[in-house]
PDB file of all heavy atoms in Angstrom:
ATOM      1  N   ARG A 198     -68.997 -81.221 -13.622  1.00 95.00           N
ATOM      2  CA  ARG A 198     -67.719 -81.868 -13.856  1.00 95.00           C
ATOM      3  C   ARG A 198     -67.588 -83.103 -12.948  1.00 95.00           C
ATOM      4  O   ARG A 198     -68.000 -83.058 -11.786  1.00 95.00           O
ATOM      5  CB  ARG A 198     -66.577 -80.896 -13.545  1.00 95.00           C
ATOM      6  CG  ARG A 198     -65.205 -81.456 -13.998  1.00 95.00           C
ATOM      7  CD  ARG A 198     -64.075 -80.538 -13.572  1.00 95.00           C
ATOM      8  NE  ARG A 198     -63.979 -80.514 -12.131  1.00 95.00           N
ATOM      9  CZ  ARG A 198     -63.327 -79.573 -11.453  1.00 95.00           C
ATOM     10  NH1 ARG A 198     -62.739 -78.564 -12.081  1.00 95.00           N
ATOM     11  NH2 ARG A 198     -63.271 -79.600 -10.131  1.00 95.00           N
ATOM     12  N   LEU A 199     -67.007 -84.155 -13.502  1.00 96.00           N
ATOM     13  CA  LEU A 199     -66.760 -85.357 -12.684  1.00 96.00           C
ATOM     14  C   LEU A 199     -65.812 -84.982 -11.537  1.00 96.00           C
ATOM     15  O   LEU A 199     -64.890 -84.172 -11.718  1.00 96.00           O
ATOM     16  CB  LEU A 199     -66.100 -86.456 -13.514  1.00 96.00           C
ATOM     17  CG  LEU A 199     -66.943 -87.064 -14.642  1.00 96.00           C
ATOM     18  CD1 LEU A 199     -66.106 -88.140 -15.358  1.00 96.00           C
ATOM     19  CD2 LEU A 199     -68.225 -87.679 -14.117  1.00 96.00           C
ATOM     20  N   SER A 200     -66.038 -85.578 -10.393  1.00 96.00           N
ATOM     21  CA  SER A 200     -65.127 -85.370  -9.262  1.00 96.00           C
ATOM     22  C   SER A 200     -64.792 -86.732  -8.666  1.00 96.00           C
ATOM     23  O   SER A 200     -65.661 -87.602  -8.564  1.00 96.00           O
ATOM     24  CB  SER A 200     -65.802 -84.519  -8.185  1.00 96.00           C
ATOM     25  OG  SER A 200     -65.117 -84.650  -6.973  1.00 96.00           O
ATOM     26  N   PHE A 201     -63.524 -86.892  -8.298  1.00 96.00           N
ATOM     27  CA  PHE A 201     -63.099 -88.172  -7.721  1.00 96.00           C
ATOM     28  C   PHE A 201     -62.539 -87.992  -6.325  1.00 96.00           C
ATOM     29  O   PHE A 201     -61.719 -88.772  -5.862  1.00 96.00           O
ATOM     30  CB  PHE A 201     -62.064 -88.821  -8.659  1.00 96.00           C
ATOM     31  CG  PHE A 201     -62.615 -89.092 -10.039  1.00 96.00           C
ATOM     32  CD1 PHE A 201     -62.473 -88.161 -11.040  1.00 96.00           C
ATOM     33  CD2 PHE A 201     -63.300 -90.270 -10.303  1.00 96.00           C
ATOM     34  CE1 PHE A 201     -63.009 -88.385 -12.307  1.00 96.00           C
ATOM     35  CE2 PHE A 201     -63.842 -90.497 -11.559  1.00 96.00           C
ATOM     36  CZ  PHE A 201     -63.703 -89.565 -12.556  1.00 96.00           C
ATOM     37  N   SER A 202     -62.995 -86.930  -5.653  1.00 93.00           N
ATOM     38  CA  SER A 202     -62.448 -86.615  -4.316  1.00 93.00           C
ATOM     39  C   SER A 202     -62.501 -87.796  -3.367  1.00 93.00           C
ATOM     40  O   SER A 202     -61.578 -88.010  -2.576  1.00 93.00           O
ATOM     41  CB  SER A 202     -63.261 -85.497  -3.664  1.00 93.00           C
ATOM     42  OG  SER A 202     -63.344 -84.396  -4.528  1.00 93.00           O
ATOM     43  N   HIS A 203     -63.602 -88.546  -3.439  1.00 92.00           N
ATOM     44  CA  HIS A 203     -63.749 -89.657  -2.504  1.00 92.00           C
ATOM     45  C   HIS A 203     -62.700 -90.744  -2.762  1.00 92.00           C
ATOM     46  O   HIS A 203     -62.164 -91.343  -1.824  1.00 92.00           O
ATOM     47  CB  HIS A 203     -65.170 -90.244  -2.540  1.00 92.00           C
ATOM     48  CG  HIS A 203     -65.683 -90.606  -3.915  1.00 92.00           C
ATOM     49  ND1 HIS A 203     -65.404 -89.853  -5.047  1.00 92.00           N
ATOM     50  CD2 HIS A 203     -66.487 -91.617  -4.333  1.00 92.00           C
ATOM     51  CE1 HIS A 203     -66.013 -90.404  -6.095  1.00 92.00           C
ATOM     52  NE2 HIS A 203     -66.665 -91.472  -5.694  1.00 92.00           N
ATOM     53  N   ILE A 204     -62.358 -90.954  -4.038  1.00 96.00           N
ATOM     54  CA  ILE A 204     -61.354 -91.973  -4.385  1.00 96.00           C
ATOM     55  C   ILE A 204     -59.959 -91.448  -4.045  1.00 96.00           C
ATOM     56  O   ILE A 204     -59.115 -92.184  -3.515  1.00 96.00           O
ATOM     57  CB  ILE A 204     -61.409 -92.320  -5.885  1.00 96.00           C
ATOM     58  CG1 ILE A 204     -62.852 -92.565  -6.344  1.00 96.00           C
ATOM     59  CG2 ILE A 204     -60.527 -93.508  -6.189  1.00 96.00           C
ATOM     60  CD1 ILE A 204     -63.496 -93.816  -5.840  1.00 96.00           C
ATOM     61  N   GLU A 205     -59.731 -90.157  -4.310  1.00 95.00           N
ATOM     62  CA  GLU A 205     -58.403 -89.574  -4.005  1.00 95.00           C
ATOM     63  C   GLU A 205     -58.118 -89.644  -2.516  1.00 95.00           C
ATOM     64  O   GLU A 205     -57.001 -89.955  -2.100  1.00 95.00           O
ATOM     65  CB  GLU A 205     -58.383 -88.113  -4.498  1.00 95.00           C
ATOM     66  CG  GLU A 205     -58.375 -88.035  -6.023  1.00 95.00           C
ATOM     67  CD  GLU A 205     -58.770 -86.675  -6.555  1.00 95.00           C
ATOM     68  OE1 GLU A 205     -58.923 -85.713  -5.739  1.00 95.00           O
ATOM     69  OE2 GLU A 205     -58.955 -86.536  -7.775  1.00 95.00           O
ATOM     70  N   LYS A 206     -59.148 -89.354  -1.724  1.00 91.00           N
ATOM     71  CA  LYS A 206     -58.985 -89.415  -0.281  1.00 91.00           C
ATOM     72  C   LYS A 206     -58.629 -90.847   0.148  1.00 91.00           C
ATOM     73  O   LYS A 206     -57.730 -91.073   0.961  1.00 91.00           O
ATOM     74  CB  LYS A 206     -60.296 -88.959   0.367  1.00 91.00           C
ATOM     75  CG  LYS A 206     -60.299 -88.844   1.863  1.00 91.00           C
ATOM     76  CD  LYS A 206     -61.623 -88.243   2.297  1.00 91.00           C
ATOM     77  CE  LYS A 206     -61.913 -88.424   3.760  1.00 91.00           C
ATOM     78  NZ  LYS A 206     -63.229 -87.888   4.136  1.00 91.00           N
ATOM     79  N   ALA A 207     -59.327 -91.840  -0.443  1.00 93.00           N
ATOM     80  CA  ALA A 207     -59.061 -93.234  -0.101  1.00 93.00           C
ATOM     81  C   ALA A 207     -57.654 -93.642  -0.516  1.00 93.00           C
ATOM     82  O   ALA A 207     -56.955 -94.342   0.223  1.00 93.00           O
ATOM     83  CB  ALA A 207     -60.101 -94.134  -0.781  1.00 93.00           C
ATOM     84  N   MET A 208     -57.200 -93.170  -1.692  1.00 95.00           N
ATOM     85  CA  MET A 208     -55.842 -93.540  -2.138  1.00 95.00           C
ATOM     86  C   MET A 208     -54.783 -92.920  -1.237  1.00 95.00           C
ATOM     87  O   MET A 208     -53.776 -93.557  -0.916  1.00 95.00           O
ATOM     88  CB  MET A 208     -55.621 -93.089  -3.594  1.00 95.00           C
ATOM     89  CG  MET A 208     -56.416 -93.903  -4.582  1.00 95.00           C
ATOM     90  SD  MET A 208     -55.855 -93.691  -6.298  1.00 95.00           S
ATOM     91  CE  MET A 208     -56.126 -91.969  -6.605  1.00 95.00           C
ATOM     92  N   LEU A 209     -54.997 -91.684  -0.815  1.00 93.00           N
ATOM     93  CA  LEU A 209     -54.005 -91.031   0.032  1.00 93.00           C
ATOM     94  C   LEU A 209     -53.967 -91.658   1.410  1.00 93.00           C
ATOM     95  O   LEU A 209     -52.902 -91.762   2.033  1.00 93.00           O
ATOM     96  CB  LEU A 209     -54.286 -89.542   0.121  1.00 93.00           C
ATOM     97  CG  LEU A 209     -53.733 -88.750  -1.058  1.00 93.00           C
ATOM     98  CD1 LEU A 209     -54.336 -87.346  -1.106  1.00 93.00           C
ATOM     99  CD2 LEU A 209     -52.215 -88.663  -0.996  1.00 93.00           C
ATOM    100  N   ASN A 210     -55.125 -92.057   1.914  1.00 90.00           N
ATOM    101  CA  ASN A 210     -55.155 -92.614   3.263  1.00 90.00           C
ATOM    102  C   ASN A 210     -54.756 -94.080   3.320  1.00 90.00           C
ATOM    103  O   ASN A 210     -54.392 -94.587   4.366  1.00 90.00           O
ATOM    104  CB  ASN A 210     -56.520 -92.362   3.912  1.00 90.00           C
ATOM    105  CG  ASN A 210     -56.704 -90.880   4.238  1.00 90.00           C
ATOM    106  OD1 ASN A 210     -55.726 -90.154   4.412  1.00 90.00           O
ATOM    107  ND2 ASN A 210     -57.938 -90.416   4.302  1.00 90.00           N
ATOM    108  N   ASN A 211     -54.778 -94.788   2.174  1.00 91.00           N
ATOM    109  CA  ASN A 211     -54.281 -96.168   2.112  1.00 91.00           C
ATOM    110  C   ASN A 211     -53.350 -96.262   0.912  1.00 91.00           C
ATOM    111  O   ASN A 211     -53.675 -96.879  -0.092  1.00 91.00           O
ATOM    112  CB  ASN A 211     -55.444 -97.162   1.960  1.00 91.00           C
ATOM    113  CG  ASN A 211     -56.363 -97.113   3.152  1.00 91.00           C
ATOM    114  OD1 ASN A 211     -55.994 -97.510   4.244  1.00 91.00           O
ATOM    115  ND2 ASN A 211     -57.566 -96.585   2.949  1.00 91.00           N
ATOM    116  N   HIS A 212     -52.166 -95.646   1.056  1.00 93.00           N
ATOM    117  CA  HIS A 212     -51.346 -95.377  -0.124  1.00 93.00           C
ATOM    118  C   HIS A 212     -50.270 -96.436  -0.395  1.00 93.00           C
ATOM    119  O   HIS A 212     -49.532 -96.339  -1.347  1.00 93.00           O
ATOM    120  CB  HIS A 212     -50.658 -94.019   0.049  1.00 93.00           C
ATOM    121  CG  HIS A 212     -49.927 -93.934   1.361  1.00 93.00           C
ATOM    122  ND1 HIS A 212     -50.394 -93.185   2.406  1.00 93.00           N
ATOM    123  CD2 HIS A 212     -48.800 -94.545   1.809  1.00 93.00           C
ATOM    124  CE1 HIS A 212     -49.582 -93.322   3.447  1.00 93.00           C
ATOM    125  NE2 HIS A 212     -48.600 -94.141   3.107  1.00 93.00           N
TER     126      HIS A 212
END
Side-chain angles (χ1 to χ4, degrees):
R198 190 185 65 198
L199 294 180
S200 163
F201 299 92
S202 307
H203 51 323
I204 313 290
E205 290 162 8
K206 184 174 164 183
M208 289 195 298
L209 277 166
N210 289 336
N211 297 292
H212 52 254

